[in-house]
Amino acid sequence: MILEMLSWVFLVAGGLLGIIGGIGIHRFPDFFSRLHAAGITDTLCAALILSGLGLQSGFSLVSFKLVLIFAFILFTSPTASHALANAALHGGVKPQLDD
Amino acid sequence: MTHIISLTITLSLLWLGLSGHVEPLMLAIGVASVFLVLFITLRMEAVDHTRYPIHFTSSLFRFWRYLVREIILSNIDVIRRILTPGKSISPQMITLPLPQKSDLAKVMYANAITLTPGTVSVQLDRDTIMVHALSKEAADALETGEMASRVPDDEASS
Amino acid sequence: MMYAAAATAILVTIGLALARALLGPTVYDRILAVNMIGTKTVLLIAVFAFLSGRTDILDIALVYALINFIAVVAVLKLVELGYLFTSGDTEEQEAKPE
């Protein structure tokens, strides 16, 4: 019962974080700040949803696969973000800075 | 040699975890695929210190624990900035020194910066790193160098 | 029920990211949105696996997570260089990553 509640909370919180990230990439003014909004959906949102699912499956091969999916996302998403930022910088996108 | 053995064990566990089969035929296929991957990896000469790091596990786990806390805190910060109406961000582009000695530690530091929302590493040079930060606070927090000092380096732990 | 709620939230996020991909303005915004859609799709497949009760589908999510990353890097390389592969060794210097 408590497990059920907890996984409800995790799944709903993860979904909300995803939507907030989606709002973020519309709200922020330039490419580099949008990158940060997308970063939310890659880290905490994925972690919450996958752990919500993991609570449902218990300790089994299924949860091992969930952990593996999370590890892949965790390893690939910063590399993709860095590649995007670097390519944008070399492609001539000027970041709006504030000093 | 220890790298090869530990790579074999990792690959076997990965295969077992992904398939879950223990019938003799499937096990034989699994062993064959593990050795095929091992052969290809050796042929690529990709088994070494950098690509398959087994030498600093305990400090790595301590760093991960720190990183998880940092990721959650900065997530909350960026969420607050998204939901605050009006202009809530003050983007910065800063250049930081890279105190780490090994390439692996530098890459881990850059990845940790990118993984925490609010800061993205834009360009990595030999001994400096260019970081785009969403806010002045995030940039200042990085400039204190706390995260940099927590990245496990070769010398510090082996 | 809770899987359906999570799936709906993910679909809304994909819709928002799709809007960003259509609006642009730069090509990097579009790639960023596509990358985000890819990550959300991995999560959607994982949620769908539980929604339908067939957890074998998780393997597809695993493969999708890897393909998504490779696709983004390949598209970035294509955008930055203008080509993916060179014939021969004439443009070896340019093809080197930064």
Side-chain angles (χ1 to χ4, degrees), chain B residues 52-66:
Chain B
Y52 196 69
I54 54 171
H55 48 291
F56 43 63
T57 13
S58 74
S59 56
L60 195 62
F61 278 114
R62 223 174 316 130
F63 176 60
W64 279 355
R65 215 167 47 220
Y66 164 76

Side-chain angles (χ1 to χ4, degrees), chain A residues 17 20-21 23-25 27-30 32-37 39-45 61 64-65 68 72-75 77-79 81-83 85-87 89-90 95-99, chain B residues 13-14 16-21 64 71-72 75-76 78-79 81-93 110-112 114-124 130 132-134 136:
Chain A
L17 281 194
I20 289 172
I23 296 169
I25 60 168
R27 215 184 89 77
F28 284 160
D30 76 321
F32 284 97
S33 41
R34 281 176 200 141
L35 212 51
H36 302 296
I40 297 182
T41 65
D42 282 350
T43 52
L44 204 57
C45 165
L61 277 185
F64 176 74
K65 279 177 194 169
L68 216 57
F72 281 156
I73 291 180
L74 220 55
F75 278 117
S77 91
T79 316
S81 293
H82 172 73
N86 201 322
L89 192 77
H90 286 276
Q96 291 180 17
L97 296 182
D98 199 84
D99 15 48
Chain B
L13 287 178
L14 188 66
L16 204 64
L18 283 178
S19 70
H21 287 285
W64 279 355
I71 285 173
I72 292 173
N75 257 301
I76 293 169
V78 175
I79 290 165
R81 280 172 203 285
I82 289 175
L83 295 180
T84 314
K87 191 175 177 348
S88 56
I89 56 172
S90 49
Q92 311 273 322
M93 193 72 99
N111 259 4
T114 315
L115 207 50
T116 48
T119 48
V120 170
S121 57
V122 179
Q123 190 161 338
L124 192 62
M130 210 165 145
H132 183 273
L134 188 60
K136 185 115 186 42

